[in-house]
Amino acid sequence: MLLIYVPEAPEPPAGTEPRDMNEAWVSYDKAVADAGIRVAGDALHGPASATTVRGAGNGSPETTDGPFAETREVLGGYYVLDLPDLDSALGWAGRCPATAAGGAVEVRPVVEFR
């Protein structure tokens, strides 16, 4: 799984326009689909639209608006890719447009419960 973190107010890389970043995302999404490795993937709305449900330790969960942690980067989207190994995942993560815009891509294996 690629967890894509972007600055809360992302700026396009120097010398590019916002539409260039949009085209980069469309191109990346097409490359993932054409490679036949895409299992799932979506962009997420900003943290202002988030709601967090947390166990309060008393058996009654508490609900708060927004994300749990204060951070300069927010979870902007994800991909679930079917790849043979970590090196392949790191290669696809490095090609993700988020990295060109100052963001980060966290690579994690998905746990399979049986």
Side-chain angles (χ1 to χ4, degrees):
M1 173 178 260
L2 305 183
L3 298 168
I4 301 163
Y5 292 90
V6 295
E8 190 163 357
E11 295 287 328
T16 63
E17 298 291 327
R19 77 170 180 276
D20 296 333
M21 283 304 297
N22 188 51
E23 289 173 8
W25 279 107
V26 170
S27 177
Y28 182 77
D29 197 60
K30 183 176 181 334
V32 167
D34 289 350
I37 58 173
R38 181 185 174 133
V39 175
D42 288 295
L44 301 175
H45 286 279
S49 66
T51 303
T52 301
V53 178
R54 178 187 330 223
N58 60 5
S60 180
E62 294 179 355
T63 303
T64 57
D65 291 336
F68 172 68
E70 292 272 336
T71 180
R72 294 187 327 189
E73 291 182 333
V74 297
L75 180 61
Y78 70 94
Y79 277 96
V80 177
L81 304 178
D82 185 12
L83 298 168
D85 54 41
L86 178 59
D87 287 340
S88 297
L90 295 176
W92 280 99
R95 294 173 57 183
C96 181
T99 58
V105 179
E106 182 177 331
V107 176
R108 285 198 202 183
V110 175
V111 175
E112 294 182 30
F113 292 99
R114 298 175 194 244

